[in-house]
């Protein structure tokens, strides 16, 4: 395997005496989907927020493409090709779809004015790719359906030159057909060589899409496995108890009957 | 998805309908026109060029404050200090001119003082993490206290004619010399404050609509966390918004003191409330993210027209306050009714 896209080494985050993330190390390669699982409050969102620059680690090192980086704002992460789709979607409700898509990275004319015409055109193109029925682009996003809002959040993450994508519960607000669309999109992005962290509670999605899973429990990383080494029950055991079943051996090897 | 069944024609019709914000502004504009019509019937002197210019002059201070207030309210904040900052800036300009500084740099000094007060507000709000209400309440007391302290609570007068030009001058004045040697004023000219208000309103609207900072001001007020995660430097956006508001309050202070040709440390009491009322009547939401300069201008003129018209109709100042209070509540109530639907 070539140089990993992301290496997180011994990363920690404390809030006062609470260890939200406790000495966690993991990596992510290009063209790979890694599922990040755990209870609510297990520290997975916290871990991902450190990678997306929204939170500064208390200790440890993050390497992007082999280079140690200090990321103190979401802009730092974005500059390195790390895009995040937040569970809350992080949309400004009163702005329209193009304004949200380009928020923080507005296209400008030569005179430094906002280039709304070009932003609308680009938005139309990228949104049509995800949902051909998306027509009401000028409406404030508060008036859009949950699916459309999700599409904007996804479009915002893939429009720019993305190398690493963090998806926090990307299908939580979606219906079955839209979930399938997101799954197709994840495969397509993986094939383009993008590394993806998929934070999810949906075991089916995880086993369907991920190459590897990492499981967090009480801030610690309790398991990191190739998807064919484990069953859903093994992963559940890791999530709930923080350990594998006592009789576990890698499931892809010849079963010890 | 719900929108798949929507026919293409429906979409076209949607595009022709005025948006929610536009409806509010149209109703505010209709209110303004009704006021003008009503007062014109009540008092023949109301509907005249001279009185229109008086209204313009009287509204310019509320208008200037309202432009800044709109920006701050858009970020989800509030600025209670603009009335006091107005007084402090005017006093600083007055003292500078009195001390021999030429008028233009003297007034610039006042505006810089206003901007500094605004920047201090922004600093306290973003770095010390104190809520805008409390931070600007503090500045309201600080600036007023400073203005009273440096003047000894005595108005600074004898500032010379130059100091009065900004507030009292009016270009495009047309005077006709009658054959008997007396001048006849055909058109009294457009007062400088009105021109200044127009320029600032256009500049403010341009900033909010066409510049990145304006877009970020809306985004910050709409969803601060989302804006931050999207890479908007929320703290810097707020700092700019409060600084601009302070500078505009400084400008308004200079306009007002220039009109009086006296620097009054006690001027502008409660004018922050007029500015907030103007923004709210014009459709701004104190929750942030909603509001326009044009709306605030209409709001400012509703207040200005109401004051002027009621004055001309001989209604007491106390009744005026009651009516303006009712208008503020009514405007917000109508807006909420519309949104709840």
């Amino acid at each position: 395997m070539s140089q990993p896209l992301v290496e997180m080494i011994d990363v920690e985050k404390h809030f006062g005496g609470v260890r939200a993330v406790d000495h966690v190390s993991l990596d992510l390669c290009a063209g790979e989907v890694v599922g990040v699982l755990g209870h609510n409050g297990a520290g997975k969102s916290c871990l991902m927020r450190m990678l997306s620059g929204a939170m500064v680690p208390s200790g440890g090192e993050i390497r992007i493409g082999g280079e140690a980086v200090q990321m103190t704002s979401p802009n730092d992460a974005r500059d390195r090709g790390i895009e995040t789709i937040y569970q809350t979607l992080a949309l400004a409700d009163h702005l329209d779809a193009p304004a949200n898509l380009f928020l923080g990275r507005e296209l400008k004319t030569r005179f430094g004015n906002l280039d709304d015409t070009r932003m609308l055109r680009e938005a139309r193109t990228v949104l049509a790719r995800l949902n051909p029925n998306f027509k009401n682009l000028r409406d404030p996003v508060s008036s859009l359906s949950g699916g459309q809002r999700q599409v904007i959040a996804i479009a915002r993450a893939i429009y720019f030159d993305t190398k690493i994508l963090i998806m926090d519960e990307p299908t939580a607000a979606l219906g079955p057909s839209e979930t399938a669309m997101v799954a197709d999109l994840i495969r397509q992005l993986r094939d383009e060589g993008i590394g993806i962290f998929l934070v999810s509670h949906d075991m089916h999605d995880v086993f369907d899409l991920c190459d590897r899973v990492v499981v967090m429990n009480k801030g610690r990383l309790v398991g990191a496995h190739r998807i064919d080494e484990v069953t859903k029950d093994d992963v559940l055991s890791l999530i709930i108890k923080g350990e594998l079943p006592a009789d576990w051996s890698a499931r892809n090897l010849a079963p010890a009957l | 998805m719900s929108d798949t069944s929507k026919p293409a024609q429906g979409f076209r019709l949607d595009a022709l309908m005025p948006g929610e914000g536009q409806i509010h502004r149209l109703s505010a504009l209709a209110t303004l026109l009704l006021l003008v019509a009503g007062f014109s019937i009540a008092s023949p002197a109301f509907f005249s060029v001279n009185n229109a210019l008086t209204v313009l002059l009287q509204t310019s201070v509320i208008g200037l404050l309202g432009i800044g207030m709109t920006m701050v309210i858009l970020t989800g904040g509030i600025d209670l200090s603009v009335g006091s900052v107005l007084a402090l800036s005017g006093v600083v300009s007055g003292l500078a001119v009195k001390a021999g500084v030429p008028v233009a740099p003297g007034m610039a000094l006042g505006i810089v003082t206003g901007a500094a007060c605004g920047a201090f507000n922004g600093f306290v709000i973003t770095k010390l993490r104190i809520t805008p209400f409390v931070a600007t309440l503090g500045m309201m007391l600080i600036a007023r206290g400073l203005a009273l302290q440096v003047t000894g609570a005595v108005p600074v007068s004898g500032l010379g004619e130059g100091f009065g030009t900004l507030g009292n001058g009016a270009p495009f004045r047309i005077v006709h010399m009658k054959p008997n040697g007396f001048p006849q004023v055909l058109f009294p000219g457009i007062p400088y404050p009105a021109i200044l208000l127009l320029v600032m309103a256009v500049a403010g609207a341009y900033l909010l609509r066409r510049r990145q900072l304006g877009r970020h001001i809306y985004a910050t007020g709409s969803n601060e966390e989302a804006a931050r995660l999207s890479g908007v430097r929320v703290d810097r956006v707020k700092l700019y918004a409060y600084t601009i508001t302070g500078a505009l309050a400084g400008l308004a202070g200079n306009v007002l003191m220039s009109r009086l040709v006296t620097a009054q440390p006690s001027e502008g009491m409660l004018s922050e409330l007029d500015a907030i009322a103007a923004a709210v009547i014009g459709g701004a939401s104190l929750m942030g993210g909603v509001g326009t300069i044009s709306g605030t201008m209409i709001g400012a003129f509703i207040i200005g027209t109401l004051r002027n018209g009621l004055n001309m109709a001989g209604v007491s100042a106390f009744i005026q306050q009651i009516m303006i209070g009712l208008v503020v509540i009514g405007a917000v109530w109508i807006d909420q009714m519309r949104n709840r639907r």
Side-chain angles (χ1 to χ4, degrees):
Chain A
M1 184 91 32
S2 60
Q3 174 78 51
L5 276 178
V6 181
E7 292 164 276
M8 299 179 88
I9 302 161
D10 246 6
V11 171
E12 292 179 71
K13 181 74 189 177
H14 321 276
F15 296 102
V18 182
R19 286 172 183 270
V21 174
D22 192 2
H23 295 283
V24 169
S25 299
L26 57 78
D27 59 356
L28 175 73
C29 295
E32 186 183 39
V33 182
V34 173
V36 181
L37 292 100
H39 268 308
N40 289 327
K44 53 191 193 320
S45 285
C46 190
L47 185 69
M48 290 300 115
R49 285 171 81 87
M50 285 189 270
L51 186 58
S52 60
M55 214 179 248
V56 182
S58 321
E61 190 174 271
I62 297 176
R63 291 188 192 161
I64 308 294
E67 182 193 348
V69 293
Q70 287 290 335
M71 296 189 293
T72 53
S73 82
N75 277 332
D76 293 345
R78 285 177 150 199
D79 289 345
R80 295 186 165 83
I82 303 172
E83 292 287 339
T84 312
I85 300 166
Y86 294 95
Q87 194 176 357
T88 56
L89 304 185
L91 299 175
D93 277 342
H94 301 99
L95 301 182
D96 61 9
N100 268 293
L101 190 58
F102 290 95
L103 188 56
R105 291 178 285 201
E106 286 82 358
L107 302 178
K108 294 184 201 164
T109 62
R110 267 184 305 157
F111 309 107
N113 293 330
L114 294 174
D115 195 343
D116 281 320
T117 331
R118 195 150 63 94
M119 286 194 272
L120 179 62
R121 204 169 54 228
E122 296 286 320
R124 190 161 278 148
T125 316
V126 63
L127 292 173
R129 180 181 159 196
L130 296 168
N131 178 355
N133 297 318
F134 205 138
K135 293 285 193 328
N136 41 343
L137 265 69
R138 300 311 300 265
D139 291 356
V141 300
S142 57
S143 68
L144 301 180
S145 72
Q148 288 178 316
R149 292 163 60 85
Q150 186 84 51
V151 161
I152 297 170
I154 295 174
R156 178 164 64 178
I158 62 171
Y159 174 80
F160 300 92
D161 186 20
T162 310
K163 297 190 184 67
I164 299 150
L165 185 59
I166 302 166
M167 303 175 105
D168 194 350
E169 303 268 358
T171 58
L174 298 184
S177 66
E178 289 159 331
T179 305
M181 184 271 292
V182 172
D184 285 343
L185 181 74
I186 290 175
R187 290 193 195 94
Q188 188 188 337
L189 293 172
R190 179 190 61 195
D191 294 343
E192 287 170 16
I194 294 172
I196 300 173
F197 279 119
L198 180 64
V199 180
S200 183
H201 283 298
D202 188 329
M203 206 60 84
H204 176 76
D205 277 357
V206 169
F207 273 80
D208 204 25
L209 295 167
C210 297
D211 301 298
R212 282 192 293 144
V213 285
V214 299
V215 182
M216 293 193 65
N217 187 303
K218 293 175 187 155
R220 286 178 307 116
L221 191 75
V222 291
H225 298 279
R226 294 204 57 78
I227 200 77
D228 48 9
E229 286 176 2
V230 284
T231 64
K232 289 181 185 175
D233 287 341
D234 297 339
V235 173
L236 273 178
S237 167
L238 279 171
I239 292 172
I240 295 164
K241 291 198 292 184
E243 58 191 26
L244 285 162
D247 60 344
W248 183 83
S249 64
R251 308 281 175 175
N252 57 339
L253 302 176
L257 285 172
Chain B
M1 298 227 59
S2 58
D3 59 337
T4 39
S5 57
K6 201 189 248 181
Q9 276 169 336
F11 173 62
R12 280 288 142 77
L13 275 177
D14 277 2
L16 290 176
M17 291 290 287
E20 287 195 11
Q22 277 165 313
I23 290 176
H24 187 115
R25 258 178 293 163
L26 283 177
S27 63
L29 194 60
T31 310
L32 181 58
L33 293 178
L34 271 177
L35 280 177
V36 171
F39 286 132
S40 303
I41 295 163
S43 155
F46 178 83
F47 199 79
S48 64
V49 172
N50 271 321
N51 193 48
L53 293 174
T54 307
V55 173
L56 264 179
L57 196 61
Q58 288 173 343
T59 308
S60 56
V61 170
I62 305 177
L64 285 171
L65 295 178
I67 294 169
M69 191 62 78
T70 306
M71 295 192 186
V72 168
I73 286 177
L74 278 175
T75 67
I78 191 104
D79 191 342
L80 299 178
S81 69
V82 291
S84 300
V85 170
L86 170 152
L88 178 61
S89 302
V91 160
V92 166
S93 295
L95 289 175
V97 170
K98 186 92 177 172
V101 179
V103 171
M107 287 191 163
L109 197 64
I111 294 168
V112 169
T113 307
C117 292
F120 184 79
N121 279 335
F123 172 80
V124 171
I125 289 161
T126 58
K127 291 293 178 295
L128 308 187
R129 304 261 152 222
I130 290 172
T131 57
F133 190 95
V134 176
T136 58
L137 183 68
M139 176 50 75
M140 174 176 152
L141 298 171
I142 294 169
R144 180 70 64 189
L146 271 174
L148 291 167
Q149 178 65 35
V150 293
T151 54
V154 180
V156 184
S157 53
L159 294 168
E161 211 169 288
F163 192 80
T165 310
L166 178 67
N168 301 299
F172 311 114
R173 191 180 174 87
I174 304 167
V175 181
H176 173 68
M177 270 301 171
K178 285 199 279 192
N180 60 9
F182 287 108
Q184 183 191 11
V185 178
L186 293 176
F187 181 66
I190 299 168
Y192 277 121
I195 297 170
L196 204 57
L197 177 64
L198 180 69
V199 170
M200 287 299 148
V202 170
Y206 167 75
L207 175 79
L208 286 178
R209 280 184 172 278
R210 306 295 309 151
R211 304 299 294 190
Q212 192 175 32
L213 177 60
R215 179 67 46 89
H216 288 180
I217 285 176
Y218 276 100
T220 301
S222 181
N223 186 342
E224 185 169 337
E225 179 64 5
R228 197 175 74 86
L229 292 174
S230 303
V232 173
R233 292 194 180 85
V234 173
D235 283 356
R236 214 172 59 174
V237 169
K238 287 187 186 172
L239 189 63
Y240 279 133
Y242 284 94
T243 308
I244 291 170
T245 304
L248 282 169
L251 185 62
N254 277 292
V255 168
L256 187 60
M257 308 295 177
S258 167
R259 207 164 85 206
L260 308 169
V261 207
T262 311
Q264 296 265 16
S266 55
E267 265 301 335
M269 292 262 190
L270 300 186
S271 60
E272 57 277 348
L273 300 185
D274 280 346
I276 296 169
V280 167
I281 292 172
S285 157
L286 291 178
M287 307 296 290
V290 181
T292 52
I293 298 292
S294 55
T296 302
M297 288 303 105
I298 296 168
F301 276 100
I302 285 179
I303 294 176
T305 307
L306 210 52
R307 285 240 166 89
N308 177 280
L310 291 172
N311 267 337
M312 304 212 48
V315 178
S316 86
F318 310 133
I319 303 285
Q320 290 180 27
Q321 283 201 17
I322 297 171
M323 296 195 68
I324 291 170
L326 290 174
V327 167
V328 169
I329 293 174
V332 176
W333 180 63
I334 291 168
D335 193 36
Q336 283 188 352
M337 292 296 284
R338 197 169 45 74
N339 285 337
R340 220 173 280 157
R341 239 188 316 150

